[in-house]
Amino acid sequence: MPPDSRAELLSLLSSLCDGQITQEEHARLESLLNSTAECRRVYLEYMQIHATLLIDPQILTKAPIRKPDTAEVATPAPRANWLHWGRRNLGQAWLVLATLAASLLVQFFWFPPTSPLPEQEPALREVVSAPKKTYVATLIRSVNCVWEAPREPVGNGARLAPGYLRLPKGIASIRFDSGAELIVEGPAEIMLDSSTAVTVKSGKAVLHATDSGVPFDLRTPGSTLVDIATDFGVSVTPDAEEVHVFEGELQRVSNTAARLGAEPECLKAGESRRYEVGSDRAEKPAIDAKEFVRYVVDNSRPALDPNAGLLAYEGFAYDRAMALQNGKATGGIGWSGPWRASTVRPGPKTEFGRFSLNIKETLSRPDAVNPGIGGSFDYAGFARTFRKLAQPVRLDRDGAYYLSFLFRRHRSSSSSPDSLGILLWSDDDYQQQNFLDFRKRLYIGIKGSNQLSTHLQRMTTTGSIPLAKGTTYLLVAKIAAGSAKPEQVFVRVYGPDESVEPEETGTWSLQSSPFRSDLTFEWIELNINGKSRQIIDEIRVGATWESVTAPWLAATKVP
């Protein structure tokens, strides 16, 4: 079994055992089980391990897993319904049924269903677990798109789950979590299969693969195109499909060839093929890169407009150090009122006293389009302050929010409680002033010496990143929100020598698991806590990637 097929099978089995498998994934699992005896062997072993671990993990050390005999593995599988295979292998079928029954019984008695929480306590039931495989891609950019049911992405930055997308009109760029990017030109119909596979039912599409070494499958009604680090276009009509390879090379496996076990066809850069429906005979038309839209460019909006999509900004341009304490800090844009409830407790043996506002020093990045002005939120010890957003961050509606700020740490230690970050509060939570209840706040920041962290109630994600003392970094976060689908948080930290991408990055430093919440955040808290001096500056909240990164973007270049 090829490594990529085995990885896909194990992923589907994991979703099955977790009870999170979708209809499309179930169909794909059945297809794999129909394909080879080896897939069925892996299935049996996996399910037996799953049930054994639930019943008694020590059993695995007492008895080996039963394996089919050589003759059974070597028997070719017909492409009939898998139930026919089960009838001919009755012993293994009973093993599967017993395994599944044991698994379900153990899960029922060990983890009985819980009663729903009362309606009068919504905050306690805001965040619940969500399927690990909820999303597979992100809508990066769209121009004049008209989406058609059953799926309608909200806008740029929207997270996409497996399923159909119909695009009667427009051009869209979709980046898969594996790194591959698909440019779709309407009218088109595609199906997002997984983070490493897509099916183009009709229309034109261009795939830009990555050099990560992870194969990506582009499927059509008649074939599967497998590539590594390839750029190619495909056009699917009711009569034929065309493939044009711009860079690299790919392998084409037609559905007929796959059934017969024939070798795949290799296409290299500069080659093109046209295949009539139901035939593997290929014509060789001249390759035409102009036939496809290879990059999405929106000329209708100004590039690097710092105010397009910007919801709130604070650069701490104040004249008095006591402005945060006396309610006079009303600068910036997108706020409802001044900074409030500023609290400071200086650390031992520090020069810092009553004020956390540094009016003399600001943070900036090299070659910034708009260098930082004003002061900064700067302290050694414990300091926090709050401000209300004019436009809240809503997790109960479909959309994407972005947050960015500059930070610098002069010294930090993993053994000390040093931390800096931004917390989002609901208005109810803020009015109750129950500061010890951290479950209702979304935290994004740095803890210890180098721990990037985000958490909200039962969702906690951390990751280590290299950080140097006395160095200014840019933190950019994305909050993917949904009314009927899970939320997800992404965080990226840029060093002083790292370039910020002109469109949403595909290499996040931290990515949370999907979770569910209906909270509405109206307040932002700046929080510094530690023995050493730490600084936060240039805070931006926006509805687009560009709105929170514009000051640090180089001139946008289109290949």
Side-chain angles (χ1 to χ4, degrees):
M1 183 189 306
D4 55 334
S5 297
R6 182 181 181 86
E8 181 185 12
L9 176 60
L10 293 176
S11 176
L12 292 171
L13 292 176
S14 176
S15 298
L16 175 65
C17 291
D18 290 341
Q20 307 292 356
I21 194 167
T22 65
Q23 184 177 358
E24 292 81 9
E25 289 175 332
H26 192 279
R28 176 58 179 163
L29 175 60
E30 186 174 13
S31 175
L32 288 173
L33 293 176
N34 276 329
S35 63
T36 66
E38 186 178 4
C39 286
R40 296 191 290 276
R41 178 181 61 79
V42 172
Y43 170 84
L44 292 172
E45 291 182 356
Y46 191 102
M47 297 306 296
Q48 187 173 359
I49 291 174
H50 175 68
T52 303
L53 285 172
L54 287 173
I55 298 171
D56 185 358
Q58 296 183 353
I59 293 178
L60 290 178
T61 63
K62 300 176 182 178
I65 299 173
R66 176 188 176 276
K67 296 183 178 180
D69 55 37
T70 305
E72 177 185 285
V73 174
T75 304
R79 296 188 59 84
N81 189 290
W82 188 56
L83 290 176
H84 297 170
W85 170 84
R87 295 191 185 101
R88 293 198 303 272
N89 298 271
L90 188 59
Q92 293 188 16
W94 278 112
L95 175 61
V96 172
L97 292 174
T99 301
L100 289 173
S103 172
L104 292 173
L105 286 172
V106 171
Q107 292 184 63
F108 178 80
F109 286 109
W110 282 13
F111 307 103
T114 57
S115 300
L117 293 171
E119 289 298 322
Q120 62 269 24
E121 297 180 351
L124 296 179
R125 57 183 176 84
E126 293 292 354
V127 177
V128 298
S129 60
K132 295 180 179 179
K133 296 291 183 180
T134 302
Y135 299 116
V136 297
T138 301
L139 178 63
I140 298 299
R141 179 160 293 185
S142 57
V143 179
N144 300 325
C145 284
V146 177
W147 301 97
E148 191 176 272
R151 298 276 307 282
E152 295 187 18
V154 172
N156 296 345
R159 294 288 283 157
L160 304 177
Y164 284 101
L165 283 175
R166 293 185 177 93
L167 180 64
K169 178 183 178 182
I171 303 171
S173 172
I174 298 173
R175 179 184 291 129
F176 290 82
D177 290 353
S178 61
E181 182 179 359
L182 187 74
I183 309 298
V184 185
E185 180 181 359
E189 179 180 347
I190 67 173
M191 179 173 179
L192 307 181
D193 299 319
S194 69
S195 63
T196 58
V198 65
T199 299
V200 178
K201 299 286 187 179
S202 64
K204 293 181 180 180
V206 170
L207 183 73
H208 302 295
T210 66
D211 56 0
S212 63
V214 178
F216 191 94
D217 291 355
L218 189 151
R219 300 163 181 148
T220 70
S223 66
T224 297
L225 307 171
V226 184
D227 79 298
I228 299 177
T230 308
D231 279 9
F232 69 91
V234 61
S235 175
V236 178
T237 67
D239 301 322
E241 71 176 56
E242 284 192 22
V243 182
H244 294 240
V245 183
F246 309 124
E247 298 178 14
E249 64 180 59
L250 60 82
Q251 291 183 335
R252 179 184 184 271
V253 182
S254 71
N255 295 343
T256 303
R259 288 193 295 268
L260 299 177
E263 292 293 324
E265 179 183 6
C266 182
L267 280 73
K268 298 182 179 181
E271 295 183 338
S272 61
R273 297 288 188 273
R274 185 178 190 275
Y275 305 89
E276 298 287 345
V277 171
S279 172
D280 283 338
R281 291 190 304 173
E283 300 177 6
K284 297 182 179 181
I287 189 166
D288 186 3
K290 295 181 180 180
E291 182 182 345
F292 298 89
V293 176
R294 299 181 63 186
Y295 303 97
V296 180
V297 182
D298 188 355
N299 295 319
S300 63
R301 64 178 183 180
L304 307 182
D305 181 357
N307 295 318
L310 185 64
L311 304 180
Y313 165 74
E314 176 60 270
F316 300 101
Y318 301 108
D319 297 330
R320 302 286 183 88
M322 64 181 69
L324 296 179
Q325 269 74 15
N326 62 18
K328 300 297 184 180
T330 59
I333 61 172
W335 306 97
S336 179
W339 289 97
R340 300 182 184 180
S342 183
T343 305
V344 293
R345 289 198 298 268
K349 298 180 180 180
T350 69
E351 73 279 14
F352 283 83
R354 296 188 302 157
F355 306 125
S356 54
L357 176 59
N358 183 343
I359 62 175
K360 297 181 179 180
E361 185 174 356
T362 188
L363 298 182
S364 186
R365 282 175 56 83
D367 302 324
V369 176
N370 297 315
I373 59 174
S376 59
F377 187 70
D378 184 358
Y379 209 68
F382 174 72
R384 68 181 171 205
T385 188
F386 298 83
R387 198 169 186 186
K388 192 174 185 180
L389 292 163
Q391 182 172 335
V393 173
R394 305 187 62 106
L395 301 188
D396 61 344
R397 296 180 181 178
D398 293 335
Y401 298 91
Y402 297 85
L403 167 72
S404 74
F405 61 88
L406 298 177
F407 71 89
R408 180 191 297 169
R409 314 177 83 195
H410 286 258
R411 183 174 58 85
S412 60
S413 171
S414 58
S415 61
S416 69
D418 288 354
S419 64
L420 69 83
I422 287 181
L423 292 86
L424 301 180
W425 290 58
S426 69
D427 188 60
D428 288 342
D429 189 20
Y430 178 79
Q431 298 301 333
Q432 292 175 13
Q433 297 291 306
N434 184 6
F435 294 99
L436 295 180
D437 188 359
F438 294 102
R439 296 176 301 166
K440 304 172 187 176
R441 292 145 220 165
L442 174 58
Y443 174 87
I444 299 172
I446 309 293
K447 296 182 177 181
S449 60
N450 62 353
Q451 289 294 311
L452 186 60
S453 177
T454 180
H455 64 76
L456 174 63
Q457 293 183 298
R458 283 174 271 176
M459 182 280 293
T460 299
T461 308
T462 60
S464 297
I465 57 174
L467 295 175
K469 63 181 181 180
T471 301
T472 299
Y473 294 91
L474 170 65
L475 184 149
V476 184
K478 172 186 174 180
I479 305 168
S483 58
K485 58 184 181 182
E487 284 70 31
Q488 201 167 10
V489 178
F490 304 80
V491 188
R492 171 68 190 272
V493 173
Y494 291 90
D497 298 326
E498 292 183 279
S499 298
V500 181
E501 299 90 334
E503 60 184 26
E504 182 178 317
T505 183
T507 54
W508 296 98
S509 307
L510 190 70
Q511 175 177 326
S512 80
S513 298
F515 61 94
R516 293 303 303 269
S517 175
D518 291 329
L519 287 170
T520 295
F521 298 117
E522 299 182 56
W523 292 84
I524 277 188
E525 174 193 353
L526 308 184
N527 189 293
I528 287 176
N529 187 17
K531 298 178 180 179
S532 61
R533 182 184 173 197
Q534 302 180 92
I535 308 173
I536 296 176
D537 197 7
E538 292 294 312
I539 300 165
R540 285 174 170 80
V541 180
T544 65
W545 170 266
E546 296 91 337
S547 65
V548 301
T549 60
W552 307 291
L553 291 177
T556 304
K557 296 180 179 179
V558 178

